[in-house]
Amino acid sequence: MGIADKIGNAAEDMAGKAKEAAGKASDNERLEAEGQTDQSKADVKQAGENVKDAFKG
């Protein structure tokens, strides 16, 4: 896994957490759901990168 991939996945996860928190604070369910979706996408990408790393190592 490249460092750029790690940074991108972490950034997407952090952005999702921020969206979710903003949605909760403003009682905006759509924004909260978007944040959760962004976090899930980042988790899936991270899992895929971990599988690639396992086969490379």
Side-chain angles (χ1 to χ4, degrees), residues 15-52:
K17 288 178 181 180
K19 273 187 188 179
E20 183 180 5
K24 284 181 181 180
S26 64
D27 202 29
N28 183 334
E29 292 179 4
R30 186 182 67 78
L31 187 59
E32 188 177 344
E34 282 181 22
Q36 291 170 346
T37 300
D38 289 350
Q39 290 175 67
S40 295
K41 286 180 187 178
D43 289 343
V44 168
K45 288 179 187 178
Q46 184 65 36
E49 292 297 332
N50 288 343
V51 169
K52 284 188 212 175

